[in-house]
Each structure stands twice: as C-alpha cells, then as structure tokens.
Amino acid sequence: MSKVARNEDLELTAEEKEKFSELVALLARHGFGEAGPPRETTFAQIEKFGHQAGQMLARAIDVRLAEQHAMHFAGEEPCPICGEKHLPKDNPHDLGLQTEDGEVGLREPAFRCPPCERDFFPSTHPAGD
C-alpha cells in the first residue's frame, strides 16, 4: 500500500520542503493577510481555509498530471474494436470530472476510427484492460 493510501506525508527533498513552505506561506497570506489570522479567528475558520486551499492544490495537481499523462497519447493508437491505428483528432475532448476535491476540467485526447464509425479515448482503457 502506498504512503498516500495510508494517509502519510510525502517524502520531500530539502528543496521541495522549502518550496512547499513558501507555497503555504503565500496561501496563508492570501487567506489572512501578512499578520495572520486576527485574534477572534476560530480554529474552525483556520481549518476551513486550510481545507479550501488543500482542495485547490489537489485540483491543480490533478490537472497538471492529467495533462502530462495525455502526452502519452499523442501518437497513433489502436481502435479498441478493430485494432486499426489512428492519430488523435485535432481537438481534444473537454471533460468535466468530479473529484473528491471538486470538479476539474480535463482535455482528453480523442481518436476517431472511420471504419468502426466511433470515437475512442485510449487514456480510459489502459493497455492490458
């Protein structure tokens, strides 16, 4: 089982920890200003902001990794019905995906098989499935 599945922190390098700390400081300033939360702020308000920032970060990571993953499908891919290989269409398929952290907009490579008269999306059918 991965560390993520066990809800443990990721192991970051010293440089990554420093950049992560900078991001946390930037988000905290955005939420509560340079001086931090006012005296009357409750921990529930702090926690709510932390969750909102975490969800925003999670969605941004989802989009970035999905974009990188889509690059694996830039060449010819076989139709899942007939096996004939085709290049992706010029326009990717826009997909709104609901995640645990809110909706993310993805651009999925789309393919067209003229003999089968169907579109297909190889990123949703990994090899061996």
Side-chain angles (χ1 to χ4, degrees):
M1 181 181 290
S2 74
K3 285 181 175 259
V4 174
R6 291 191 312 253
N7 200 26
E8 294 180 16
D9 288 341
L10 300 174
E11 293 180 21
L12 302 176
T13 66
E15 180 183 354
E16 291 166 337
K17 285 178 185 176
E18 182 178 336
K19 290 194 181 292
F20 183 77
S21 180
E22 291 171 6
L23 174 61
V24 169
L26 178 118
L27 290 170
R29 274 192 310 274
H30 174 77
F32 292 99
E34 196 65 43
R39 179 182 174 118
E40 64 275 4
T41 304
T42 65
F43 184 76
Q45 291 169 313
I46 292 171
E47 182 182 27
K48 182 177 181 179
F49 177 77
H51 280 281
Q52 289 172 332
Q55 289 174 322
M56 183 179 81
L57 178 61
R59 290 189 307 268
I61 290 171
D62 290 345
V63 169
R64 180 180 179 98
L65 292 176
E67 287 172 352
Q68 289 176 319
H69 184 251
M71 294 174 70
H72 291 288
F73 304 97
E76 290 185 331
E77 292 290 331
C79 170
I81 301 297
C82 70
E84 185 175 319
K85 290 187 175 188
H86 303 282
L87 288 170
K89 294 162 77 173
D90 289 336
N91 298 321
H93 174 71
D94 290 327
L95 176 67
L97 185 65
Q98 186 63 41
T99 72
E100 291 181 24
D101 299 301
E103 187 169 319
V104 295
L106 303 178
R107 296 190 60 99
E108 181 179 37
F111 294 76
R112 176 80 183 160
C113 181
C116 293
E117 297 182 351
R118 69 175 299 228
D119 289 339
F120 63 97
F121 309 92
S123 60
T124 61
H125 302 284
D129 279 1

